[in-house]
């Protein structure tokens, strides 16, 4: 069955750029919406944005100036880039697949990767 | 942005009981694009219900969803020990997609 696995550095310094990758295994990355979501004790679950397999993106406006989501269909991977990190970006980051059919609920999630922003 | 408010925040119940969780939206979720997730400690959220009332694959029929407009509910007809967790609603009708703050079911 389809599985998602996030990877990336766990510790970053303020003002640095975060790069996370989600690897899709057991299925194709094509014809789905692929999302990034983060979770903090204070703000709960926050949707960051998605990319469709064609490359179309939709970002949360609260983060739009700092995020880029990209996709590499040849590697079955999609990635998140978040610039100008602050302590407020400390969170558990998940990648998740949207149900087939369009912008939809998230049926498959990765296990999450913890990112800490600290000097 | 659509703000989702869940109530109650925490519920203490016993296995076998029936529970209804509420999710109220700050504006209409016009296409009923409302989902419910269950999250246990150390795990990712698990999709239970989408499009307000459709159970996701493999979800037992003791879970049901209903509602429209701004008021939605998740009902668990008979709590099993594995159902004690945190539940989140999510709307994907309008961008940005947003989640409720969560409702925790704990064992009494």
């Amino acid at each position: 069955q389809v599985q998602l696995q996030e990877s990336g550095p766990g510790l970053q310094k303020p003002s640095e750029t975060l790069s996370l990758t989600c690897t899709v295994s057991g299925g194709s990355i094509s014809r789905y919406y692929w999302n990034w979501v983060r979770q903090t004790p204070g703000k709960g679950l926050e949707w960051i944005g998605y990319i469709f397999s064609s490359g179309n993106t939709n970002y949360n406006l609260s983060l739009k100036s700092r995020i880029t989501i990209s996709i590499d269909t040849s590697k079955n991977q999609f990635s998140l880039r978040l610039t100008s990190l602050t302590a407020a970006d400390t969170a558990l980051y998940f990648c998740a697949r949207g149900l087939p059919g369009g912008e939809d609920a998230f049926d498959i999630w990765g296990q999450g990767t913890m990112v800490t922003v600290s000097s | 942005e659509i703000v989702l408010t869940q109530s109650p925040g925490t519920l203490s119940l016993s296995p076998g009981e029936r529970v209804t969780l509420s999710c109220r939206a700050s504006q209409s979720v016009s296409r009923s694009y409302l989902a419910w997730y269950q999250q246990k400690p150390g795990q990712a959220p698990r999709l239970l219900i989408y499009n307000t009332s459709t159970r996701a694959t493999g979800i037992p029929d003791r879970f049901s969803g209903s509602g429209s407009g701004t008021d939605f509910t998740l009902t668990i007809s008979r709590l099993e020990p594995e159902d004690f967790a945190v539940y989140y609603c999510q709307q994907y009708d309008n961008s940005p997609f947003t989640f409720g703050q969560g409702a925790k079911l704990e064992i009494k």
Side-chain angles (χ1 to χ4, degrees):
Chain A
Q1 77 258 25
V2 175
Q3 293 184 310
L4 307 183
Q5 179 67 59
E6 304 90 350
S7 59
L11 181 61
Q12 301 259 195
K13 290 183 166 51
S15 79
E16 288 185 338
T17 295
L18 172 67
S19 292
L20 296 177
T21 295
C22 182
T23 301
V24 180
S25 59
S28 174
I29 202 168
S30 297
R31 292 189 299 277
Y32 286 95
Y33 287 81
W34 300 97
N35 297 267
W36 287 98
V37 177
R38 66 184 183 181
Q39 185 172 31
T40 61
K43 290 190 71 175
L45 289 163
E46 180 181 28
W47 174 74
I48 297 170
Y50 71 60
I51 188 164
F52 187 59
S53 53
S54 65
N56 291 342
T57 56
N58 183 10
Y59 299 151
N60 191 324
L61 289 178
S62 68
L63 298 166
K64 188 174 183 179
S65 63
R66 298 196 292 132
I67 60 174
T68 303
I69 300 176
S70 58
I71 193 164
D72 187 337
T73 54
S74 68
K75 293 183 179 178
N76 251 27
Q77 293 177 333
F78 63 105
S79 299
L80 169 68
R81 185 171 178 268
L82 180 63
T83 63
S84 304
L85 292 173
T86 70
D89 296 310
T90 294
L92 182 60
Y93 286 75
F94 294 100
C95 56
R97 189 185 80 168
L99 281 165
E103 295 175 328
D104 216 318
F106 308 157
D107 65 336
I108 299 175
W109 295 64
Q111 65 186 24
T113 187
M114 186 66 205
V115 174
T116 302
V117 181
S118 175
S119 55
Chain B
E1 165 173 327
I2 296 179
V3 176
L4 299 179
T5 303
Q6 293 186 241
S7 60
T10 303
L11 272 175
S12 297
L13 296 164
S14 300
E17 289 194 83
R18 177 186 179 92
V19 61
T20 298
L21 304 179
S22 171
C23 177
R24 178 160 289 177
S26 61
Q27 61 193 77
S28 179
V29 181
S30 55
R31 295 177 289 176
S32 294
Y33 283 176
L34 193 287
W36 290 92
Y37 299 85
Q38 176 194 70
Q39 188 178 30
K40 297 180 180 178
Q43 296 183 16
R46 173 194 180 199
L47 178 64
L48 301 175
I49 301 284
Y50 63 97
N51 292 352
T52 298
S53 59
T54 303
R55 275 188 299 277
T57 302
I59 301 304
D61 60 8
R62 64 180 182 272
F63 292 91
S64 63
S66 64
S68 65
T70 60
D71 290 296
F72 298 86
T73 59
L74 172 71
T75 299
I76 309 173
S77 60
R78 187 179 168 83
L79 282 167
E80 297 288 340
E82 61 268 27
D83 298 337
F84 291 91
V86 180
Y87 291 83
Y88 295 94
C89 57
Q90 178 214 15
Q91 66 81 24
Y92 46 97
D93 187 52
N94 272 4
S95 184
F97 304 155
T98 50
F99 293 85
Q101 82 280 17
K104 184 177 182 180
L105 289 187
E106 57 181 31
I107 299 178
K108 196 172 191 178

